[in-house]
């Protein structure tokens, strides 16, 4: 059993290499954090490049389920949106992902998560992440 999610991630990177490394490190801790990213099963056929920021975000936002969009928006920001089903714990995983990359994001980067039990929003301001709702 799980939850239905609608997620929007709007980011502008100030250090792409470090953001990629942070996401790679998060994925490398999958076993100890008891997370199944599906790299050996349902996303295996996607041929994600784990050295590519967009592909790493696809893993965290469950692009493989098909309701996923990427667009470039104002001032060099990229907006990712995804609707998917996942375990209840996936919300925490996405929040952790945002926290880990937040030092490498420009101000006004944002993560919005709407799921079965409500919504949360996180932003980067003055170089730090904050929960606004």
């Amino acid at each position: 059993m799980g939850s239905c999610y609608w997620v929007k991630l709007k980011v502008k990177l100030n250090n792409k290499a470090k953001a990629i490394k942070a996401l790679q490190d998060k994925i490398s801790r999958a076993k100890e954090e008891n997370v199944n990213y599906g790299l050996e099963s349902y996303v295996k056929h996607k041929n994600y490049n784990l050295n590519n920021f967009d592909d790493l975000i696809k893993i965290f936002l469950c692009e493989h389920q098909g309701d996923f969009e990427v667009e470039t928006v104002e001032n060099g920001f990229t907006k990712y949106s995804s609707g998917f089903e996942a375990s209840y714990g996936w919300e925490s995983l996405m929040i952790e992902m945002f926290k880990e990359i937040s030092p490498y994001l420009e101000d006004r980067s944002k993560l919005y998560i709407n799921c079965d039990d409500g919504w949360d929003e996180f932003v980067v301001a003055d170089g730090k992440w904050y929960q606004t709702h």
Side-chain angles (χ1 to χ4, degrees):
M1 179 144 191
S3 183
C4 294
Y5 295 94
W6 177 249
V7 179
K8 292 185 229 175
L9 175 66
K10 183 178 109 175
V11 296
K12 183 176 182 181
L13 300 170
N14 64 30
N15 191 322
K16 188 175 189 176
K18 287 186 178 182
I20 288 170
K21 177 78 168 109
L23 295 177
Q24 291 170 332
D25 289 349
K26 178 76 176 146
I27 290 172
S28 74
R29 295 189 307 268
K31 189 172 185 171
E32 65 194 67
E33 294 179 355
N34 199 28
V35 176
N36 179 2
Y37 290 101
L39 298 177
E40 299 300 320
S41 56
Y42 45 84
V43 299
K44 186 176 184 177
H45 68 283
K46 291 289 193 170
N47 296 318
Y48 292 131
N49 177 351
L50 299 183
N51 294 309
N52 178 284
F53 184 80
D54 286 343
D55 283 355
L56 289 163
I57 293 299
K58 289 175 183 179
I59 292 168
F60 285 94
L61 300 187
C62 299
E63 180 266 350
H64 68 278
Q65 290 190 26
D67 188 7
F68 182 89
E69 293 182 19
V70 179
E71 65 180 297
T72 302
V73 293
E74 79 282 350
N75 300 321
F77 281 84
T78 302
K79 185 171 86 175
Y80 306 86
S81 57
S82 186
F84 58 93
E85 291 182 49
S87 67
Y88 290 113
W90 207 260
E91 180 177 9
S92 295
L93 179 84
M94 291 184 289
I95 294 167
E96 291 167 7
M97 175 267 307
F98 188 72
K99 288 177 185 178
E100 292 198 26
I101 64 172
S102 66
Y104 316 114
L105 300 178
E106 295 286 336
D107 287 354
R108 297 183 309 131
S109 293
K110 182 184 298 189
L111 172 65
Y112 169 84
I113 303 171
N114 190 339
C115 60
D116 293 347
D117 63 355
W119 64 279
D120 294 300
E121 183 178 69
F122 304 85
V123 297
V124 174
D126 299 322
K128 296 179 182 177
W129 71 273
Y130 299 92
Q131 184 168 4
T132 61
H133 184 271

